[in-house]
Every structure is written in C-alpha cells, then in structure tokens.
Amino acid sequence: DAGITQSPRHKVTETGTPVTLRCHQTENHRYMYWYRQDPGHGLRLIHYSYGVKDTDKGEVSDGYSVSRSKTEDFLLTLESATSSQTSVYFCAITPSGLAGESEQFFGPGTRLTVL
Amino acid sequence: DAKTTQPNSMESNEEEPVHLPCNHSTISGTDYIHWYRQLPSQGPEYVIHGLTSNVNNRMASLAIAEDRKSSTLILHRATLRDAAVYYCILRDVETGANNLFFGTGTRLTVIP
C-alpha cells in the first residue's frame, strides 16, 4: 500500500463548470502522475510532476491543468469541463527514480461524469 | 515512442500456468519492460519489470527474449483472482515519464 488516496471518488458535474480532483500521498514520493482511462484507449498520461511546483505535460494534457504546492498533494483541474472529459481518473506515484527504473503505484481512481 | 502489442484476450483454466505474450519490436536499449494488471473497478497494480534478464517475484515471472523484441509474463498457477487486464508497457529511463503508454492490454479470463 503506497498510501495514495483520491478525492472525490465519484463526481457528476455539468458542462462548463470547473472541477478539481485531488491526489494525496503519505509517503513523500517525488514523482506523481495523473492518467485518464477510457474504453478502447487504455490509460493515457495527462500530466506528471517531478517535485513541488515542477510539472510537465503528458499525452493528453489539453483542457487540464495541474498544481503541486506540497509534496503530498497533486491537483488536477478541469477549468471548464466538457463531456469528452467524462472518464475515470487515476493518480499514481513512483517511489524512486525515473519511471523507467521504478514500479508505479496507483490510487483507487475517481469516476467523473460531465453532463 | 516504442509501443507494445498484446492479444486482446486470453483464457486459462484455474491452477494452470498462463503465458501472456507481448511484442515490442521497436524497443530501445534504455527501455524497461513493465507489466501491470488491473482488476475490475480498481487501479492498475504493479506486477513485475525487467531490462534484459529474466525476473521472478512472488507474483509472476518475466521472460525476456534475447533480442528484447518480445517478452512473456508467466503466472505459474492461475487463480480466479488473477482474472484481470494485463498491460505490458515500456518505460524509457533516459527520457523519463514523458512517453508512458499503457495501451489496451490483454484481458485474462480464468475458468474454474
């Protein structure tokens, strides 16, 4: 158990509203990630962070922003939610080093529905 | 970016070994081969990873071809709890996180 929690676990919102998802870890790991998972697409990387205030874009970053003001929290924001952002969102961490050398641990996921 | 190819689905009988194949013909010398699995309604779970040599842990074994263009995840005795989607992915240690790609994986069904 890597001590990863996500909140909320489920959310229904309307198109055009802002949404923030929170990932919290208790182990002080440096690297954190946000993925989305959709049928037929597997998991796709949205953004990742390699330290406080250090973030970078992933494969599907358009429409999303992130912030990391504390080591333990990585926030994913949808500034103006759209129906195409209906998905299951997973947060992940890697305990040591770059992802290539280290196993990745995932949170339980947040199911977001945008009406 | 190097990608992987896996069969969409496989079946196995309970308590029999399972060999899950993965092709990665464009793998680079700095790509680690990772396997994860995802049970229904859960986040992905790390299974095993390796670079060149075969690897064993309490969950599974990873057999890597000599040319590294393919690998096989081996579950020695499948149980009903092993029914999941298995992902084979490559992680480039030099470029870091920017080319993580999961794909759609192999759905393993375990038959009692």
Side-chain angles (χ1 to χ4, degrees):
Chain A
D1 183 4
I4 305 169
T5 58
Q6 292 184 230
S7 59
R9 294 292 314 279
H10 301 271
K11 186 171 182 65
V12 179
T13 190
E14 294 188 349
T15 298
T17 59
V19 176
T20 295
L21 309 182
R22 179 182 184 235
C23 177
H24 178 79
Q25 55 142 333
T26 60
E27 303 294 323
N28 229 29
H29 297 306
R30 180 180 172 191
Y31 292 86
M32 299 184 75
Y33 309 78
W34 276 107
Y35 291 88
R36 61 178 288 175
Q37 185 170 37
D38 306 288
H41 289 279
L43 278 146
R44 293 181 290 176
L45 181 67
I46 305 171
H47 281 278
Y48 67 100
S49 169
Y50 45 96
V52 173
K53 296 186 180 180
D54 290 325
T55 65
D56 207 346
K57 297 179 179 180
E59 181 188 359
V60 289
S61 59
D62 287 348
Y64 301 95
S65 62
V66 289
S67 65
R68 191 155 177 215
S69 58
K70 298 185 292 184
T71 300
E72 59 265 35
D73 289 326
F74 191 31
L75 304 180
L76 176 71
T77 297
L78 292 65
E79 301 290 348
S80 178
T82 68
S83 58
S84 65
Q85 293 176 311
T86 293
S87 186
V88 180
Y89 291 85
F90 289 101
C91 174
I93 60 98
T94 48
S96 59
L98 295 171
E101 303 171 81
S102 177
E103 61 265 39
Q104 200 166 43
F105 295 96
F106 287 81
T110 294
R111 183 173 295 276
L112 176 67
T113 302
V114 183
L115 302 176
Chain B
D1 297 334
K3 301 276 170 61
T4 63
T5 303
Q6 300 175 252
N8 288 332
S9 62
M10 291 184 64
E11 286 186 352
S12 174
N13 293 319
E14 194 176 9
E15 298 189 4
E16 290 188 356
V18 182
H19 291 235
L20 298 167
C22 182
N23 288 317
H24 27 79
S25 58
T26 59
I27 191 170
S28 76
T30 52
D31 281 330
Y32 281 79
I33 302 161
H34 284 244
W35 283 83
Y36 290 76
R37 71 181 187 181
Q38 188 172 22
L39 279 66
S41 301
Q42 294 188 24
E45 173 188 28
Y46 168 79
V47 177
I48 201 167
H49 77 285
L51 185 61
T52 56
S53 303
N54 294 345
V55 184
N56 300 293
N57 65 21
R58 63 174 180 81
M59 290 182 69
S61 295
L62 175 59
I64 301 173
E66 196 170 333
D67 63 5
R68 301 210 324 126
K69 293 184 176 182
S70 65
S71 62
T72 303
L73 178 70
I74 302 166
L75 307 178
H76 296 286
R77 286 181 70 242
T79 69
L80 296 179
R81 291 183 301 170
D82 292 322
V85 178
Y86 287 79
Y87 297 96
C88 166
I89 62 175
L90 304 180
R91 297 281 170 88
D92 187 328
V93 66
E94 288 193 350
T95 60
N98 209 29
N99 64 341
L100 299 174
F101 180 77
F102 263 76
T104 54
T106 296
R107 182 174 299 277
L108 176 66
T109 300
V110 180
I111 302 168

